[in-house]
């Protein structure tokens, strides 16, 4: 399989970083295609934990080319400090990291606006939404503009017109400096990717966020501002749909969400604490506690459909090891009606009562299981039930944060 897209099939933080790290071993190029440093992708190698925000998780593998595609929004300060962080930990980041000239740039005013207006949605405050707003309003500043003084001056002057809050000179000088420091990495990444495809190179498209945070297909308006679904991998890189061979959706064995917005299967307080501690459910980017709940088939079925998933990878099965009873949500009850398919109406999602089926847990430690067939019977039955309800095959199961704590199902 030469081109594989990996997407989150819930509300983000499904363990994409871990799955990417496993799949990256067998590819040549890993590319991020949307979002920005609102993402936090964790990879654990030995006893070392790495959290990647902008740089593809494949950077931790030697000899792979990593690309930040045109669909990503880049905070240059965050990118430069991530490069320094990796180098400081002995990871090579030289010509193995390329950045699209066309990617849009996050400026200080984007972050200020985001912090001011993002509270209702519970954004990460990284300036992601306001940067995409400027992109769509056609007044955005792109990476290539940082190496063109005249162009940057013109655009920045227009964007800051009438503002007394921001110091034009300071921003201008700072971003020209960023441009100088990144010049060698700025390239036409679509060309690199398409040339690589024609040479049968294998490419992994690393999604950020998740399907339910997608601006079109998520729980709007409680979403991020980019196309987090598989389609985003095409517009976000300039690779056409006929080139894609496989789409892998990553799901947790339960559900989590950070920030505001409806979450039908969210746990009540006591249970919430329990899973949060067991699953270490604290945001990799903002440190905020994640909201936790049971597995929701309605939302993942939606993700299977809108991403055209080929298979799913189920992570964090081990977090359910000590659960006596485990519930699966198979529908929503709202005003006397049962919904089996994802409703666009935010009121249904906000006020529905989940319809659950309940099963016995396995009450056994799975963290050292190395083969699917060695999982406890009830754990296999749980996975089979999810697979049947979602009508999709499970490709990988993960039972811990480390590299070796995962196996293929067949
Ligand atoms: P991402 O944004 O989708 O890459 O996910 P995050 O890195 O934000 O969050 C996933 C968290 O779960 C990280 O702390 C991972 O180290 C951890 N993790 C991944 N897979 C597993 C697993 O199978 N079991 C456990 N216990 N932790 C996991
Ligand atoms: P990864 O890639 C989980 C959430 C925020 C907020 C909403 C909008 O690690 O899975 P934004 O700053 O994007 O405008 O915030 O989206 N959010 C995430 N939640 N994982 C992420 O990324 C997220 N990126 C954004 O919490 O609710
Ligand atoms: Mg994350």
């Amino acid at each position: 399989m030469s081109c594989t897209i990996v997407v989150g099939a819930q509300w983000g933080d499904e363990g994409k970083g871990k799955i990417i790290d496993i799949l990256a071993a067998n590819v040549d190029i890993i590319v991020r295609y949307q979002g920005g440093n609102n993402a936090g992708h964790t990879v654990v190698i030995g006893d070392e934990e790495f959290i990647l925000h902008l740089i593809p998780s494949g950077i931790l593998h030697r000899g792979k080319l990593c690309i930040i595609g045109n669909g990503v929004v880049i905070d240059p300060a965050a990118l430069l400090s991530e490069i320094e962080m990796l180098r400081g930990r002995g990871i090579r980041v030289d010509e193995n990291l390329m950045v699209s000239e066309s990617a849009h740039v996050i400026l200080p005013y984007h972050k200020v606006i985001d912090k001011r207006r993002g509270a209702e949605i519970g954004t990460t405050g990284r300036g992601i939404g306001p940067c995409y707003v400027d992109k769509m309003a056609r007044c955005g500043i792109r990476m290539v503009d940082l190496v063109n003084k005249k162009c940057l001056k013109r655009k920045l002057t227009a964007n800051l017109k009438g503002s007394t809050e921001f110091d034009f000179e300071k921003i201008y000088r700072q971003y020209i400096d960023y441009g100088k420091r990144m010049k060698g990495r700025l390239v036409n990444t679509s060309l690199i990717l398409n040339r690589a495809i024609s040479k049968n190179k294998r490419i992994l498209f690393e999604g950020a966020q998740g399907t339910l945070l997608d601006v079109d297909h998520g729980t709007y308006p409680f979403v991020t501002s980019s196309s987090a679904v598989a389609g985003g991998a095409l517009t976000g890189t300039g690779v056409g749909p006929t080139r894609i061979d496989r789409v892998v959706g990553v799901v947790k064995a339960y559900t989590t969400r950070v920030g505001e917005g409806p979450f039908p299967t969210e746990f009540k307080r006591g249970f919430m604490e329990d899973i949060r501690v067991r699953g270490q459910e604290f945001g990799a980017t903002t440190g905020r506690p994640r909201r936790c709940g049971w597995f929701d088939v309605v939302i993942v079925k939606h993700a299977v459909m809108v991403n055209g998933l080929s298979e799913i990878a189920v992570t964090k099965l081990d977090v359910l090891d000590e659960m006596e009873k485990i519930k699966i949500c198979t529908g929503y009850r709202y005003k006397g009606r049962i919904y089996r398919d994802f409703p666009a109406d935010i009121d249904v999602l906000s006020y529905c009562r989940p319809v659950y089926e309940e099963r016995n847990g396995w009450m056994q430690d799975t963290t050292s299981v190395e083969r699917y067939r060695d999982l406890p019977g009830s754990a296999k039955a749980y996975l089979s039930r999810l697979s049947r309800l979602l009508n999709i095959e499970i490709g990988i199961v993960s039972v811990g944060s480390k590299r070796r704590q995962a196996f293929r199902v067949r």
Side-chain angles (χ1 to χ4, degrees):
M1 288 283 184
S2 55
C3 283
T4 301
I5 301 175
V6 175
V7 288
Q10 291 156 323
W11 276 287
D13 300 329
E14 298 90 348
K16 297 176 292 295
K18 155 132 195 196
I19 299 301
I20 292 278
D21 177 60
I22 294 171
L23 300 178
N26 296 315
V27 306
D28 304 292
I29 303 177
I30 304 96
V31 54
R32 271 280 306 269
Y33 56 84
Q34 45 70 236
N37 62 327
N38 48 349
H41 296 179
T42 313
V43 179
V44 181
I45 302 172
D47 292 326
E48 269 203 273
E49 182 185 82
F50 293 85
I51 299 176
L52 285 312
H53 299 286
L54 264 170
I55 298 177
S57 306
I59 199 80
L60 304 173
H61 287 264
R62 274 172 181 276
K64 314 283 175 187
L65 175 61
C66 288
I67 290 180
I68 300 180
N70 57 274
V72 176
V73 287
I74 301 175
D75 180 340
L79 178 55
L80 289 164
S81 86
E82 197 163 315
I83 293 172
E84 286 317 306
M85 178 278 287
L86 288 169
R87 282 181 173 157
R89 296 179 68 178
I91 307 296
R92 189 174 148 258
V93 190
D94 298 311
E95 69 286 349
N96 56 337
L97 176 67
M98 301 286 190
V99 177
S100 168
E101 307 166 310
S102 312
H104 280 248
V105 180
I106 296 177
L107 283 116
Y109 44 87
H110 294 136
K111 290 187 258 190
V112 170
I113 298 169
D114 195 16
K115 286 189 185 116
R116 223 174 258 161
R117 299 197 195 143
E120 241 172 80
I121 289 169
T123 67
T124 58
R126 301 291 195 269
I128 308 296
C131 183
Y132 279 116
V133 166
D134 279 2
K135 175 177 177 174
M136 291 306 170
R138 294 157 295 177
C139 61
I141 290 172
R142 303 192 297 168
M143 291 303 284
V144 69
D145 301 332
L146 304 187
V147 292
N148 180 339
K149 285 186 178 169
K150 242 165 93 181
C151 181
L152 180 64
K153 191 168 266 178
R154 180 170 42 81
K155 287 191 170 184
L156 203 53
T157 307
N159 287 357
L160 290 178
K161 199 169 163 199
S163 159
T164 49
E165 199 177 346
F166 299 98
D167 181 344
F168 171 89
E169 269 307 318
K170 190 173 160 206
I171 298 177
Y172 174 74
R173 268 186 276 116
Q174 191 173 47
Y175 278 71
I176 285 291
D177 178 56
Y178 292 146
K180 276 188 194 140
R181 292 163 68 188
M182 284 185 297
K183 194 170 180 182
R185 299 185 192 282
L186 301 185
V187 287
N188 180 341
T189 50
S190 310
L191 198 60
I192 292 182
L193 288 164
N194 283 286
R195 280 187 180 151
I197 291 169
S198 63
K199 288 182 188 151
N200 291 323
K201 300 277 184 206
R202 297 153 301 172
I203 301 174
L204 198 54
F205 296 75
E206 175 172 350
Q209 289 80 55
T211 305
L212 277 297
L213 288 172
D214 178 271
V215 70
D216 284 282
H217 301 287
T219 46
Y220 192 88
F222 299 96
V223 292
T224 191
S225 302
S226 68
S227 295
V229 293
L234 311 176
T235 53
T237 59
V239 170
T242 52
R243 301 288 181 264
I244 305 301
D245 304 290
R246 182 165 71 132
V247 186
V248 177
V250 185
V251 294
K252 264 179 203 174
Y254 48 101
T255 313
T256 63
R257 149 159 234 181
V258 201
E260 303 305 315
F263 182 174
T265 64
E266 188 168 11
F267 291 138
K268 302 275 177 294
R269 196 170 287 170
F271 229 34
M272 176 87 86
E273 280 306 310
D274 208 31
I275 287 274
R276 190 177 279 155
V277 171
R278 245 188 264 252
Q280 287 296 296
E281 296 296 357
F282 298 90
T285 294
T286 57
R288 287 180 290 177
R290 295 176 183 144
R291 299 156 66 192
C292 307
W294 292 119
F295 192 93
D296 185 337
V297 167
V298 182
I299 65 157
V300 180
K301 227 169 61 180
H302 174 65
V304 170
M305 179 179 75
V306 299
N307 292 297
L309 295 185
S310 325
E311 62 180 82
I312 55 171
V314 181
T315 63
K316 303 193 104 163
L317 185 70
D318 56 295
V319 177
L320 301 180
D321 281 354
E322 286 168 41
M323 289 280 171
E324 245 172 87
K325 298 278 178 198
I326 296 174
K327 289 185 187 181
I328 303 173
C329 167
T330 57
Y332 305 146
R333 195 186 306 275
Y334 180 70
K335 289 195 175 166
R337 199 181 138 189
I338 302 282
Y339 290 76
R340 300 279 176 199
D341 295 305
F342 180 72
D345 186 346
I346 200 91
D347 275 359
V348 180
L349 285 161
S350 306
Y351 303 111
C352 69
R353 290 214 340 261
V355 177
Y356 286 119
E357 59 177 53
E358 190 181 70
R359 39 199 319 120
N360 290 328
W362 42 96
M363 304 294 284
Q364 270 180 66
D365 179 44
T366 59
T367 56
S368 47
V369 172
E370 289 175 1
R371 291 177 305 190
Y372 179 76
R373 65 169 183 267
D374 296 336
L375 278 174
S378 310
K380 278 190 281 202
Y382 177 63
L383 293 172
S384 302
R385 183 67 184 143
L386 295 186
S387 171
R388 206 162 45 244
L389 286 166
L390 298 167
N391 195 22
I392 192 147
E393 286 203 1
I394 299 174
I396 298 174
V397 175
S398 171
V399 290
S401 57
K402 299 200 165 142
R403 255 184 193 169
R404 57 171 177 76
Q405 290 176 304
F407 40 83
R408 290 211 63 89
V409 171
R410 255 163 282 276

